[in-house]
Amino acid sequence: MMNLFTIPNLVGAHLGGWRHRDAYSHPVMNLRQTIEFAQLAERGKLDGLFLADGNGIRDMNRRALFAANFPSARPGVFDPVVLMTALAGHTSRIGLVSTATTTFDEPWFVARRFASLDHVSNGRAGWNAVTAANAGDALNFNRSEPVNREERYARAEEFIEVVQGLWDSWAEDAFVQDKASGRFLDPDRVRALNHAGRFFKVAGPLNVPRTPQGRPVVFTAGQSEAGKELAARYADAMFGAGDSKETCQAEYADIKGRVAKHGRDPDMLRFIPGVNVFAGRSAGEADDLYGELNELISPALGIDYLSKIVTQDLSGLPLDGPMPDLPDTVAGSSTVRTFVVKVIRDEKLTVRQAYQRVVSDFGTPVVKGSAVEVADVLEDWYRAKACDGFVITFPMVPVGLRNLVDLVVPELQRRGLFRTEYAGTTLRDHLGLLRPANPQFETAPRSG
Ligand SMILES: Cc1cc2nc3c(=O)[nH]c(=O)nc-3n(C[C@H](O)[C@H](O)[C@H](O)COP(=O)(O)O)c2cc1C
């Protein structure tokens, strides 16, 4: 079964999306509309909502872009776990995946927050563990320099081990709560962690009982060598990025091979790349929307955004002239930059074509067309082992999500590729992941 996630980002994933006449009119900190979004996604039986996050506002030095709304600058966003906790009260099945950084947070706090979210949501919590490569984030955490990749990933590894160790603090039956005998808990059913490593010294145990999912689901989202090794060892699912089916097929084979090398079942890591879906009642309707949104971006703004993505100043270049030759990699190259540079080169895009391409998808492949055409692409990727599912963004909301739920999901269901009802109640159930045994107290994993 295909796994589908979406991002409750009310400004949409197109630079002009928030300006469209049918877009939400006040998307910043709008809890009511975010709840509406979550409920609509749940009506579509989606596996989960995913909140990407950072701990620093980005791109303030690009005044035009910043003022016009660059969504991943994130100038006004809820703390993701606080928001997911609110959404948990207004939904009952959909998974709730939040990002937290291993570079600046503390394992104790992360273990506690996500275990609490798992209890609050009755087993729907997921943690997207990121190393926060964005240089600006470091400045908010007693540093004047970004943290290098070696340190980020060494810390991430130990961080996740500590978090998982803390989640195993309690046996499931530890909290007896028997009024008759006066026995509240069983002191033999708890273990201290007593971890002492390169980065952390954590005694434990955690002050949250074992959670409904055993452990919240762990996601990662980094496709560097170190990022993939981290995923292969610890993750239950991995958010990815890839410019084409072929790139994702290679990534899929690579990551599943690494999981097996670490002695794990490759099905126990779900690979979920991002796609940006423009679905309409007809292909023409999707094309019209694409055109309308691109018209909402001035050339100056488009070029400012493209310059940021390719890390090279492109201002002053003729709009309909060729793009300059761009180096394959630069210091701190991102997955998105690599993808965009490749597309520009392969398709020989002009400056205008290049910015129109990136403003519509932020470096994620665009799947555009009627419901049947969109379903064809999703089915093709899935059957070709390019992914286990998708994290779907929309150029604008709520229209994009509504079209997914009302048009594309029924088409996927008709083809037997997507659930018509939730079979279970937890995010692990939706993803087909086993409930982990607690090595401190149990030996055999229970399914379910
Ligand atoms: C789909 C996807 C989602 C991501 N979400 C986040 C995020 O929410 N916060 C973050 O700091 N980084 C996020 N990243 C970035 C990665 O965690 C990673 O830091 C980045 O791709 C650079 O790779 P590296 O750290 O392995 O060098 C995301 C990446 C992808 C592909």
Side-chain angles (χ1 to χ4, degrees):
M1 192 67 69
M2 189 185 278
N3 304 122
L4 297 180
F5 287 79
T6 188
I7 300 185
N9 168 13
L10 299 189
V11 295
H14 184 292
L15 201 48
W18 69 277
R19 293 183 62 197
H20 192 274
R21 61 185 175 280
D22 295 329
Y24 283 134
S25 53
H26 286 87
V28 178
M29 311 306 277
N30 195 323
L31 180 61
R32 189 180 59 74
Q33 289 172 344
T34 313
I35 292 169
E36 199 178 291
F37 184 102
Q39 291 175 332
L40 179 55
E42 187 166 76
R43 180 158 72 70
K45 317 292 176 206
L46 267 59
D47 293 73
L49 300 169
F50 162 50
L51 278 171
D53 194 52
N55 288 284
I57 298 177
R58 302 179 187 181
D59 295 293
M60 291 181 70
N61 57 335
R62 294 188 174 276
R63 286 184 65 83
L65 188 60
F66 189 54
N69 170 38
F70 170 44
S72 53
R74 302 195 186 98
V77 289
F78 289 102
D79 173 279
V81 176
V82 171
L83 179 59
M84 287 303 190
T85 306
L87 297 181
H90 293 271
T91 53
S92 63
R93 287 291 182 275
I94 196 162
L96 304 166
V97 184
S98 251
T99 299
T101 172
T102 54
T103 301
F104 306 116
D105 214 321
E106 284 288 328
W108 168 274
F109 287 138
V110 167
R112 187 181 186 195
R113 275 204 307 277
F114 284 85
S116 298
L117 181 63
D118 209 39
H119 280 286
V120 165
S121 64
N122 291 321
R124 295 185 282 143
W127 167 37
N128 177 38
V130 300
T131 64
N134 186 52
D137 288 17
L139 308 182
N140 291 326
F141 298 92
N142 317 307
R143 301 217 182 211
S144 47
E145 293 288 327
V147 184
N148 68 54
R149 186 182 277 145
E150 187 282 324
E151 185 182 333
R152 278 192 281 119
Y153 278 100
R155 184 178 154 111
E157 211 169 282
E158 192 182 329
F159 194 113
I160 296 176
E161 284 194 2
V162 173
V163 168
Q164 293 186 329
L166 288 169
W167 284 339
D168 292 339
S169 295
W170 296 88
E172 291 202 16
D173 55 3
F175 286 80
V176 182
Q177 304 178 81
D178 181 30
K179 282 185 178 175
S181 65
R183 204 147 161 265
F184 186 70
L185 61 80
D186 182 347
D188 292 332
R189 305 294 280 163
V190 62
R191 296 279 182 278
L193 181 64
N194 293 322
H195 172 89
R198 175 176 163 196
F199 297 95
F200 305 108
K201 202 163 167 230
V202 180
L206 192 65
N207 55 354
V208 184
R210 190 150 181 89
T211 77
Q213 295 189 97
R215 293 172 176 174
V217 180
V218 174
F219 289 70
T220 61
Q223 269 164 267
S224 62
E225 209 29 51
K228 286 193 273 201
E229 274 304 296
L230 186 77
R233 290 185 62 185
Y234 301 103
D236 301 304
M238 180 181 175
F239 290 123
D243 57 336
S244 65
K245 181 176 81 176
E246 290 70 27
T247 314
C248 285
Q249 277 175 315
E251 285 296 315
Y252 184 95
D254 181 9
I255 190 69
K256 298 275 175 164
R258 288 175 198 248
V259 172
K261 218 175 56 204
H262 287 289
R264 299 176 58 205
D265 175 355
D267 286 340
M268 293 297 112
L269 182 137
R270 313 292 286 170
F271 179 65
I272 303 173
V275 289
N276 190 260
V277 167
F278 282 68
R281 275 164 297 187
S282 64
E285 190 180 272
D287 286 340
D288 289 348
L289 178 64
Y290 187 84
E292 276 177 38
L293 291 178
N294 280 354
E295 284 305 310
L296 292 170
I297 305 300
S298 68
L301 183 59
I303 289 173
D304 200 21
Y305 179 60
L306 183 62
S307 302
K308 172 197 151 50
I309 294 291
V310 300
T311 56
Q312 188 162 316
D313 184 6
L314 303 167
S315 54
L317 289 174
L319 273 181
D320 296 309
M323 282 288 292
D325 199 26
L326 300 164
D328 276 330
T329 51
V330 294
S333 239
S334 67
T335 315
V336 169
R337 183 189 179 281
T338 309
F339 163 49
V340 169
V341 167
K342 183 170 174 297
V343 171
I344 289 171
R345 195 174 298 151
D346 289 355
E347 300 186 18
K348 300 188 174 54
L349 300 180
T350 64
V351 173
R352 188 195 306 270
Q353 288 166 336
Y355 86 66
Q356 290 200 338
R357 216 31 208 278
V358 292
V359 294
S360 59
D361 59 15
F362 295 101
T364 305
V366 168
V367 183
K368 179 161 64 69
S370 66
V372 168
E373 288 168 327
V374 169
D376 283 346
V377 175
L378 303 186
E379 175 169 6
D380 182 34
W381 284 45
Y382 179 68
R383 292 205 190 279
K385 293 195 183 306
C387 64
D388 294 308
F390 301 91
V391 54
I392 297 181
T393 50
F394 309 104
M396 59 175 287
V397 288
V399 178
L401 177 62
R402 209 175 287 141
N403 286 349
L404 181 86
V405 168
D406 291 337
L407 305 174
V408 180
V409 163
E411 182 60 29
L412 293 171
Q413 289 168 332
R414 203 181 57 71
R415 299 178 188 196
L417 290 165
F418 195 60
R419 68 176 67 84
T420 50
E421 272 309 327
Y422 289 107
T425 58
T426 69
L427 178 56
R428 281 187 187 278
D429 293 337
H430 307 338
L431 292 170
L433 298 169
L434 292 177
R435 192 173 195 284
N438 186 337
Q440 298 296 330
F441 302 98
E442 308 165 24
T443 46
R446 286 198 285 126
S447 67

